[in-house]
C-alpha cells in the first residue's frame, strides 16, 4: 500500500526532468517505476492510516487505525475538520 506518492505528481515531475523525451514514453516509464517502488516499499513496510487531532497529532482513538487511504478519507468526512489523516509505517 504505497499511498505516499501521488501518481500524477510523480509523472509530472518526471515529465519536467525528462522533457526532451516523448510524453507517453515518460508516462509509461513513470508507471513502471512507481510499480517497482510500490513492490519494494510494500515488502519493507506496512502502511496504515490513522485519524489524528489536527492541533496535537494525537490519535482520535484506537478505532481510528485504517488499512486504506480511501477508508481514512471517508472516516474523516464523518468526524469533521478537527481531525486529519496521519500515516503509520511499521517494519514488515
Amino acid at each position: 500500500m504505497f499511498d505516499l506518492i501521488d501518481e500524477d505528481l510523480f509523472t509530472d515531475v518526471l515529465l519536467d526532468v525528462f522533457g526532451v523525451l516523448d510524453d507517453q514514453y515518460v508516462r509509461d516509464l513513470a508507471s513502471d517505476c512507481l510499480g517497482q517502488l510500490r513492490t519494494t516499499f510494500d515488502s519493507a513496510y506496512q502502511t496504515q492510516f490513522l485519524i489524528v487531532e489536527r492541533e496535537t497529532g494525537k490519535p482520535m482513538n484506537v478505532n481510528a487505525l485504517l488499512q486504506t487511504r480511501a477508508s481514512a478519507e471517508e472516516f474523516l468526512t464523518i468526524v469533521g475538520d478537527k481531525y486529519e489523516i496521519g500515516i503509520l509505517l511499521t517494519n514488515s
Side-chain angles (χ1 to χ4, degrees):
M1 172 171 340
F2 187 72
D3 286 334
L4 300 177
I5 296 177
D6 179 88
E7 284 187 45
D8 293 333
L9 180 59
F10 183 76
T11 302
D12 290 345
V13 168
L14 287 182
L15 283 169
D16 287 344
V17 171
F18 299 107
V20 296
L21 299 175
D22 179 67
D23 282 4
Q24 190 56 49
Y25 177 71
V26 174
R27 289 180 196 286
D28 291 343
L29 285 177
S31 178
D32 292 345
C33 184
L34 206 48
Q36 290 177 13
L37 285 172
R38 279 193 178 101
T39 300
T40 302
F41 191 86
D42 287 347
S43 66
Y45 300 101
Q46 178 182 11
T47 306
Q48 295 176 305
F49 302 90
L50 49 132
I51 305 302
V52 297
E53 290 183 29
R54 191 175 296 276
E55 289 183 20
T56 65
K58 292 182 180 180
M60 184 177 141
N61 63 42
V62 295
N63 296 320
L65 187 61
L66 304 155
Q67 300 303 313
T68 66
R69 179 177 290 279
S71 60
E73 289 172 355
E74 185 176 327
F75 197 103
L76 198 59
T77 61
I78 296 168
V79 296
D81 291 338
K82 183 179 175 186
Y83 299 96
E84 63 186 357
I85 298 172
I87 299 172
L88 175 66
L89 294 176
T90 54
N91 292 332
S92 292

